[in-house]
Amino acid sequence: MRTGKRVRLALACVAAAAAMTGCSVEEATCGGGEYPVLSIGGTGSACVPNDEEPPEGYTRYPEGKVPEHVGDAWDTYWQTHTVDEDGRIVEVPRGG
């Protein structure tokens, strides 16, 4: 068997095994033991250990609107929205 065919076969086996075990190839927003936080008034984010409060200038995402994976619906939403100083969800001005 040629090397190219072996590589394709190996990749197919890995993909099949991942699908059967429920393994995900999505990149998590934060690592284990952490939760994501949003910068107040901006679109920046960070990860905070579960046993700590968000640092100054950051807040927890509103309940039910927390991104879990890079590129998921909430991750995409928070690229154009933020939370203001009063805790209201607002759209971020273009270019800002």
Side-chain angles (χ1 to χ4, degrees):
M1 188 182 297
R2 291 183 14 191
T3 302
K5 287 185 179 181
R6 286 186 194 145
V7 170
R8 285 193 297 269
L9 178 60
L11 290 173
C13 290
V14 169
M20 288 188 292
T21 61
C23 185
S24 175
V25 293
E26 295 176 312
E27 183 179 348
T29 302
C30 291
E34 297 178 318
Y35 67 95
V37 292
L38 175 67
S39 65
I40 297 170
T43 58
S45 63
C47 295
V48 177
N50 287 339
D51 60 347
E52 294 182 17
E53 290 299 314
E56 187 175 335
Y58 287 82
T59 188
R60 294 177 187 263
Y61 284 91
E63 188 173 337
K65 298 180 180 182
V66 181
E68 295 181 16
H69 297 96
V70 174
D72 71 15
W74 287 119
D75 183 53
T76 302
Y77 175 83
W78 291 111
Q79 291 175 22
T80 57
H81 293 78
T82 191
V83 175
D84 69 12
E85 293 173 353
D86 297 318
R88 293 182 301 235
I89 296 173
V90 294
E91 197 166 343
V92 176
R94 286 189 177 184

